Amino acid sequence: MPDFPWRPGSATGVGSLPGADIAEAQRIVFGELPELPHLAELPARGPGADMIGRSAGFLVELPVQLYAGRWQVAPRPGKDLRVTADLLERDLDQLTEQGEKYTGPLKIQSAGPWTLAASIDLQLGGRLLRDAGAVRDLTDSLAEGLRRHVEDVRKRLPRAEILLQLDEPSLPTVLAGRVPTESGLGAYRAVPGPDAATALRTVVEAVGVPVIAHCCAPDVPLQVFRDARAAAVALDLSLLKDLDPLGEMLEAGLGLFAGAAPTTPPAGGIDGKKVADRVSTLWKRLAFSPALLPRQVVITPACGLAGVSPSYARAALTACREAGRRLSEV
């Protein structure tokens, strides 16, 4: 059994939280998720704080800009990138200030190359996804940018052990050839799984830290993530249909970031016992040793929490932490 780069019984967030106060958001993260905190993301602040704009800010020598409400490749860096960089700098300053004495694993996040390629437009029109050469350039640019980002965070928090989460919510539609063209009348070509894995592996190998591949959409491409050499996969447990691929992934030694706390407040409320029961029930169905569960599994919300109330976001993180504790005591 491999050693996992997190403590047994850990819980963490997916990334996004509600509101626009990064100082308060980061305080909540360190307070509620002491075993595995993460860099909070606050998309409510607007363009540049959204997943695509924020992640595009990591690209090296591939500037983007907003045009008609969409991100597109730009001829040169402009005000939109300056806003993005300023927001990230504020976030990192809060992380540095509040995590100054933190020792242990710390997670940062970025959209992956396929979600960016499916979401950013070329200057001449159409998504980057339409041009295989442009996708390769984007992948190399992102790999270098995230390598620099990891190094920046490592310098700020030298006692932290950095984990990188790559968010790929668009990857299932990319693999299935269901990303619509700009006219809406067609779709871009399907990308073969091995090609998708090669691009992801480029990023994984460049950053030099354990990578968690995250997809909270249906049909999570577990084999692609395995082939990309991810250390773990993060997914929404409510969307799981076939347990066999998940079992094979776990048998191969990957970790699971189990999205077990619902992102919509449940009628009966949320608590750590319900979340823990959900994960332990899945583990029993997979027929793995109970002793492995708290080591191999990290508890998370089902997906990002940007769309919920601040009170529920905090309750969901508390429930995840409590579920991790319960599972580690079994």
Side-chain angles (χ1 to χ4, degrees):
M1 191 68 194
D3 290 328
F4 294 100
W6 53 78
R7 299 160 181 150
S10 290
T12 193
V14 170
S16 67
L17 291 170
D21 185 344
I22 185 60
E24 176 63 13
Q26 204 61 63
R27 272 194 294 272
I28 290 171
V29 168
F30 276 112
E32 301 299 334
L33 305 168
E35 298 296 325
L36 182 44
H38 64 91
L39 178 59
E41 300 173 346
L42 303 179
R45 293 178 295 179
D50 62 295
M51 180 178 69
I52 300 304
R54 179 185 181 89
S55 302
F58 296 127
L59 297 173
V60 175
E61 297 181 0
L62 187 59
V64 297
Q65 64 188 7
L66 274 174
Y67 179 77
R70 290 186 55 82
W71 291 99
Q72 68 166 197
V73 175
R76 64 190 64 83
K79 65 178 180 61
D80 296 323
L81 271 184
R82 287 195 294 274
V83 169
T84 299
D86 181 60
L87 288 168
L88 179 64
E89 188 68 18
R90 287 188 228 168
D91 296 351
L92 291 174
D93 285 346
Q94 280 300 319
L95 182 72
T96 305
E97 180 180 331
Q98 297 186 40
E100 180 184 9
K101 298 179 181 179
Y102 176 73
T103 301
L106 173 83
K107 183 168 70 69
I108 57 179
Q109 304 86 219
S110 170
W114 294 106
T115 292
L116 289 177
S119 304
I120 297 174
D121 292 340
L122 294 160
Q123 275 188 276
L124 298 177
R127 311 284 171 85
L128 271 164
L129 188 61
R130 72 186 292 180
D131 184 333
V135 173
R136 283 193 296 273
D137 290 344
L138 178 144
T139 299
D140 291 342
S141 174
L142 181 65
E144 174 59 19
L146 289 177
R147 185 193 67 78
R148 296 180 187 182
H149 181 46
V150 166
E151 285 303 310
D152 184 18
V153 176
R154 187 177 273 144
K155 288 175 183 176
R156 289 168 176 267
L157 299 177
R159 293 187 290 180
E161 299 153 15
I162 310 302
L163 309 178
L164 172 66
Q165 175 180 301
L166 287 180
D167 295 313
E168 282 286 11
S170 298
L171 184 52
T173 57
V174 168
L175 294 168
R178 295 199 306 264
V179 177
T181 58
E182 54 271 30
S183 70
L185 301 177
Y188 293 105
R189 64 179 180 86
V191 172
D195 292 351
T198 296
L200 287 167
R201 192 162 58 247
T202 297
V203 179
V204 170
E205 292 175 348
V207 296
V209 296
V211 170
I212 300 105
H214 170 239
C215 181
C216 56
D219 303 319
V220 177
L222 296 177
Q223 187 61 51
V224 170
F225 291 154
R226 283 178 62 182
D227 292 344
R229 298 177 189 155
V233 172
L235 48 78
D236 180 349
L237 293 188
S238 70
L239 299 178
L240 275 177
K241 296 175 183 175
D242 183 0
L243 295 186
D244 287 343
L246 178 62
E248 292 168 5
M249 182 200 85
L250 294 167
E251 189 72 39
L254 277 74
L256 172 64
F257 280 51
T263 51
T264 301
I270 187 170
D271 61 53
K273 183 179 184 305
K274 292 177 183 177
V275 175
D277 288 347
R278 189 175 187 188
V279 176
S280 61
T281 298
L282 170 69
W283 202 252
K284 288 173 185 173
R285 290 178 61 194
L286 290 166
F288 285 114
S289 165
L292 296 178
L293 196 165
R295 294 169 55 198
Q296 195 163 3
V297 177
V298 174
I299 311 301
T300 77
C303 205
L305 295 170
V308 304
S309 69
S311 61
Y312 181 73
R314 189 165 199 154
L317 297 183
T318 302
C320 289
R321 185 190 73 226
E322 173 66 14
R325 184 188 65 78
R326 284 176 173 270
L327 293 170
S328 66
E329 292 174 351
V330 173

